[in-house]
Amino acid sequence: MSYGYTGNILHIDLSSKKHWIEHPSETFYRTYWGGRALALYYMLKEMKPHTDPLSPDNLLIFAPSVITGTPAPAMPRYAVCAKSPLTGAEGEAEAGGWWGPELKKAGFDAIIIKGASSDPVYLYIKDGKIEIKDATFLWGKETAIAQQLIREELKDNRIRVAQIGPAGENLVRFANIVNELKHFNGRNGLGAVMGSKKLKAIAVRGTKSINLYNKEKVKEITKQITSRVMDNPLSRGLRELGTVAGIASIYKTGWLPTNNWSTNDFKKGENLTAETYNKTILKRSEGCYACPIRCKRVVEVDEPSIKVDPIYGGPEYETVVAFGSLCGIDDLKYVAKANELCNKYTMDTISTGMVIAFAMQCYQEGILIKEDTAGMKLNFGNKKAMLKMVEMIAHRKGLGNLLAEGSYRAAQKIGKGSKQLIHQVKKQEIPMHDPRLKTGVGLQYALSDYGADHMKAAHDPSFQDVDSWGTKTMQDLGISEPVSPTDIGPKKVKLFKILDIYWSLLDTLGVCDFGYVPRSVGTLDELLEIIQSVTSWDVTWFELMRLGERSINMARFFNYREGFSSKDDTLPEVFFHNFKGGPLDAQGAINKEDFQKALRLRYEMMGWDVNTGIPTEAKLIELGLDWLVSEVK
Ligand code: SF4
């Protein structure tokens, strides 16, 4: 008997409109579990190297895990994976919400989609039944309208819809996928892959329950964690202030990314803080499936000059900074509007804010002129121009068409030195965290297989003192001493090796990192007990960490086949220079040689070739990935 998983993996070929169901063995599930590991298994086995990401040959994979949908805190997540049209590398993004648990209840552990339809379609999956339905009437529609029309057509208001909006249809290279209008598979342009397949949506409905080995134990631990949510300052902070909680201290310390990373002196930071957010735009907080933390924000603005619809949720930290200080804007209402537009068109808010800030700096420096911007004054701080640019990118109009290619490709076309103004890793725009004060995050930006990402490991401050929550709670995984956030020596490399593997595990299992240590209230023991109680497997942390490491090596190997190597593990030049302006002026630069040394040490610790950064044959065999060895040869 299987516990946690359904034993069914759905394969869809959109070209032939055929589907079939695979029933993998228990060994398969215990080796790959779900999420990125399961997806990479199929991407490595079934996709040829150098596949065009927007061609029918790209695979688009939706993968919850063996434990997704468990009624324990913070386990709603699923991964969407494909070759990324933005980076050309392994593409992946995890989302919370309700869609992942619903897919499991509808009878499937994952969906593997290949081919492309000639006309728009959507998938309807209900309790094991599959239909490929015409979506011509949905094409071009914004997400709230499309979701409503699908629910009306299927006569069921409880259907969960994962979908793309116009930006995905228009193949914007950083288009994303949304479920329930506010939970995103945000980065890497996976919405464009869905658009290239003419797949508008996947509507799922499941009435079966997920089979748990020890339901009572799962209930008991859930109760235990829930009872501590309001006592723990981290989970209480997430609930009361959301992810924007840190903005006040960030801008006072002087590292709020400002004006496309050209300065750190944002004088009006007070207007973007969590306190201002709660006072001016917050309507309520919300959560994901079975999660007591409820860290998600819902905002509303109802003024004659600007309206923001609460149906699309509210901006997180990254979005507030990307459309705020990064564009020189201090008006949360306009930030909330930009977030709403991105959500109805399905665009990643980090990349969208970054390409607009890049265009603003080009305009300020005379690289772009009014003829390029359809007469718009695209200077920093112009909040109306910022909103206009969001619209133009989603619909690929004028300059928006160029920016929809991402900042790397746009700078190549614009020329005139604009390449100096982009900040990316593997062609993906960097998030809003500054590695000069968090060197471990910098290592993760550089090493991330899917381009710069802030959700690749915990952040350095969680381990800065003996009393820090991370240092206190993660000793079982080998983290026993504090390391300064700005240290870039061997201790930092070792710490982030462990954190990278642990985070990769959380992503593989679909566990939200805001639910467990070092970022929140659930302990390592509780997480392990939940996994054992769901599956009946007597897993240990050794086995789980091997799983996290297996996922990393599969992603690394996928990228190696695509031509990536150590030359792509870089950090934007700006971080090797001192802060400009504000309290940290003229200090903080990361030493380039030290950073390179740290990367090489990390390769060695991971068992990768020290020069190329590619997994060695021995490492692949150790992780049970023998089937990849012949490809190394
Ligand atoms: S902690 Fe927040 S994001 Fe994570 S599952 Fe809970 S509500 Fe969702």
Side-chain angles (χ1 to χ4, degrees):
M1 181 152 198
S2 63
Y3 294 105
Y5 60 96
T6 68
N8 303 319
I9 291 184
L10 175 60
H11 292 256
I12 307 259
D13 182 342
L14 286 173
S15 299
S16 64
K17 306 271 191 304
K18 293 210 164 101
H19 73 265
W20 61 283
I21 297 167
E22 181 190 0
H23 306 288
S25 66
E26 182 172 357
T27 308
F28 173 87
Y29 280 103
R30 194 157 170 176
T31 307
Y32 301 104
W33 289 71
R36 64 193 311 235
L38 184 144
L40 277 158
Y41 173 84
Y42 289 98
M43 285 162 72
L44 285 161
K45 289 252 174 184
E46 295 187 9
M47 198 194 301
K48 287 201 183 98
H50 310 298
T51 294
D52 176 351
L54 297 176
S55 76
D57 295 333
N58 198 359
L59 292 181
L60 180 65
I61 299 172
F62 290 73
S65 88
V66 165
I67 60 166
T68 308
T70 303
M75 297 195 174
R77 291 167 84 81
Y78 63 100
V80 175
C81 297
K83 183 173 169 184
S84 163
L86 185 66
T87 65
E90 179 248 352
E92 77 171 79
E94 286 77 25
W98 276 263
W99 191 90
E102 195 76 20
L103 181 69
K104 294 277 297 286
K105 290 178 186 175
F108 295 102
D109 299 312
I111 312 175
I112 321 286
I113 300 164
K114 67 174 183 183
S117 174
S118 47
D119 300 306
V121 291
Y122 78 95
L123 296 181
Y124 174 38
I125 299 170
K126 183 173 182 194
D127 289 338
K129 296 214 175 76
I130 297 105
E131 273 184 72
I132 300 176
K133 296 181 76 77
D134 174 42
T136 316
F137 71 113
L138 300 170
W139 207 247
K141 298 277 189 295
E142 295 164 6
T143 49
I145 298 168
Q147 179 171 281
Q148 185 58 28
L149 288 171
I150 289 171
R151 286 177 173 167
E152 277 167 21
E153 174 165 275
L154 300 174
K155 297 185 179 53
D156 187 346
N157 256 333
R158 296 183 64 187
I159 276 171
R160 308 288 183 187
V161 179
Q163 61 164 317
I164 53 167
E169 298 169 15
N170 294 331
L171 310 183
V172 172
R173 283 188 192 267
F174 43 88
N176 60 24
I177 299 169
V178 65
N179 81 75
E180 298 295 296
L181 309 180
K182 49 189 128 159
H183 301 278
F184 298 90
N185 302 97
R187 308 223 70 199
N188 279 196
L190 301 166
V193 177
M194 201 158 159
S196 73
K197 296 186 178 303
K198 287 263 180 1
L199 178 61
K200 176 73 176 172
I202 307 180
V204 295
R205 179 81 167 94
T207 57
K208 300 170 187 166
S209 52
I210 297 167
N211 204 13
L212 308 179
Y213 173 67
N214 188 343
K215 211 173 174 176
E216 287 313 308
K217 190 78 193 165
V218 174
K219 257 196 211 161
E220 186 191 314
I221 305 168
T222 300
K223 222 169 141 192
Q224 206 170 285
I225 297 175
T226 305
S227 72
R228 300 199 310 271
V229 164
M230 291 312 280
D231 296 336
N232 180 291
L234 290 170
S235 49
R236 193 181 62 235
L238 280 167
R239 194 179 163 119
E240 292 176 351
L241 300 172
T243 54
V244 290
I247 289 187
S249 81
I250 291 170
Y251 101 84
K252 280 177 196 154
T253 314
W255 63 270
L256 196 63
T258 301
N259 293 2
N260 195 34
W261 297 89
S262 62
T263 170
N264 298 91
D265 190 11
F266 191 64
K267 301 238 181 310
K268 296 175 181 165
E270 204 58 53
N271 295 343
L272 299 178
T273 62
E275 291 70 22
T276 310
Y277 189 121
N278 283 7
K279 263 190 242 153
T280 56
I281 57 172
L282 184 72
K283 187 174 164 68
R284 61 172 184 275
S285 63
E286 274 187 1
C288 301
Y289 172 87
C291 184
I293 296 172
R294 297 175 68 83
C295 72
K296 310 294 287 184
R297 315 272 94 183
V298 176
V299 302
E300 183 171 28
V301 180
D302 188 9
E303 291 180 2
S305 60
I306 184 163
K307 297 197 188 305
V308 178
D309 190 340
I311 201 169
Y312 293 106
E316 303 283 346
Y317 167 79
E318 302 295 328
T319 312
V320 168
V321 180
F323 289 120
S325 55
L326 196 77
C327 290
I329 290 166
D330 70 329
D331 188 333
L332 272 175
K333 289 172 188 159
Y334 278 76
V335 167
K337 186 70 191 175
N339 180 67
E340 179 210 82
L341 294 176
C342 282
N343 295 2
K344 58 168 84 154
Y345 302 139
T346 61
M347 290 197 295
D348 172 37
T349 56
I350 297 175
S351 284
T352 309
M354 281 285 286
V355 296
I356 294 173
F358 157 69
M360 284 176 160
Q361 194 171 2
C362 285
Y363 184 82
Q364 299 247 150
E365 298 194 6
I367 296 170
L368 290 175
I369 54 175
K370 274 192 182 170
E371 282 70 33
D372 300 309
T373 63
M376 228 183 337
K377 283 188 189 159
L378 197 55
N379 42 300
F380 288 123
N382 187 340
K383 51 197 186 187
K384 287 194 176 150
M386 182 267 285
L387 291 184
K388 180 90 184 140
M389 283 314 309
V390 176
E391 296 271 3
M392 287 168 72
I393 293 167
H395 296 100
R396 281 189 171 271
K397 294 261 162 54
L399 177 63
N401 189 35
L402 183 59
L403 298 181
E405 292 293 296
S407 53
Y408 180 89
R409 289 174 179 84
Q412 274 188 326
K413 274 252 166 85
I414 294 168
K416 302 181 198 166
S418 60
K419 216 176 151 200
Q420 309 303 321
L421 309 182
I422 61 170
H423 310 290
Q424 49 79 35
V425 179
K426 300 185 179 83
K427 302 194 181 87
Q428 175 157 270
E429 292 75 18
I430 52 170
M432 303 299 118
H433 297 267
D434 198 316
R436 284 171 287 196
L437 291 184
K438 301 180 183 185
T439 52
V441 171
L443 282 173
Q444 295 307 107
Y445 280 1
L447 285 162
S448 168
D449 296 299
Y450 38 89
D453 198 88
H454 60 294
M455 299 295 276
K456 188 86 176 66
H459 291 196
D460 309 53
S462 299
F463 305 91
Q464 62 185 339
D465 297 309
V466 268
D467 290 332
S468 300
W469 188 240
T471 326
K472 265 172 41 181
T473 56
M474 296 199 66
Q475 292 183 356
D476 286 0
L477 297 187
I479 296 171
S480 52
E481 55 180 332
V483 190
S484 156
T486 52
D487 182 297
I488 186 68
K491 282 185 185 169
K492 181 60 69 74
V493 177
K494 181 186 156 204
L495 170 65
F496 272 79
K497 179 203 164 186
I498 298 169
L499 291 175
D500 188 14
I501 294 174
Y502 175 65
W503 235 252
S504 169
L505 169 73
L506 298 183
D507 284 345
T508 303
L509 296 177
V511 172
C512 177
D513 32 272
F514 290 155
Y516 295 85
V517 293
R519 189 62 189 80
S520 193
V521 66
T523 66
L524 290 177
D525 284 345
E526 286 166 334
L527 182 54
L528 183 65
E529 265 191 293
I530 292 169
I531 296 168
Q532 291 168 336
S533 308
V534 169
T535 60
S536 83
W537 296 334
D538 55 352
V539 286
T540 60
W541 272 109
F542 178 81
E543 181 180 343
L544 291 175
M545 290 296 273
R546 276 291 142 115
L547 171 61
E549 198 179 357
R550 188 174 300 125
S551 299
I552 293 171
N553 279 272
M554 289 166 88
R556 193 106 191 142
F557 196 83
F558 182 89
N559 283 1
Y560 156 61
R561 290 200 325 186
E562 299 297 329
F564 286 78
S565 70
S566 54
K567 70 182 182 335
D568 302 291
D569 295 338
T570 58
L571 203 55
E573 197 55 33
V574 65
F575 301 125
F576 298 114
H577 297 273
N578 284 329
F579 286 101
K580 281 190 193 155
L584 294 170
D585 188 40
Q587 49 185 308
I590 297 174
N591 181 296
K592 215 177 230 180
E593 266 178 40
D594 291 347
F595 192 76
Q596 284 306 330
K597 237 193 255 172
L599 280 179
R600 287 171 70 90
L601 182 59
R602 175 70 172 274
Y603 293 164
E604 278 191 85
M605 282 187 195
M606 294 297 288
W608 297 340
D609 183 283
V610 73
N611 294 312
T612 62
I614 294 162
T616 59
E617 192 176 323
K619 179 50 74 178
L620 293 172
I621 293 169
E622 183 196 344
L623 294 170
L625 299 171
D626 320 43
W627 50 278
L628 290 172
V629 169
S630 61
E631 291 203 43
V632 181
K633 285 180 177 154

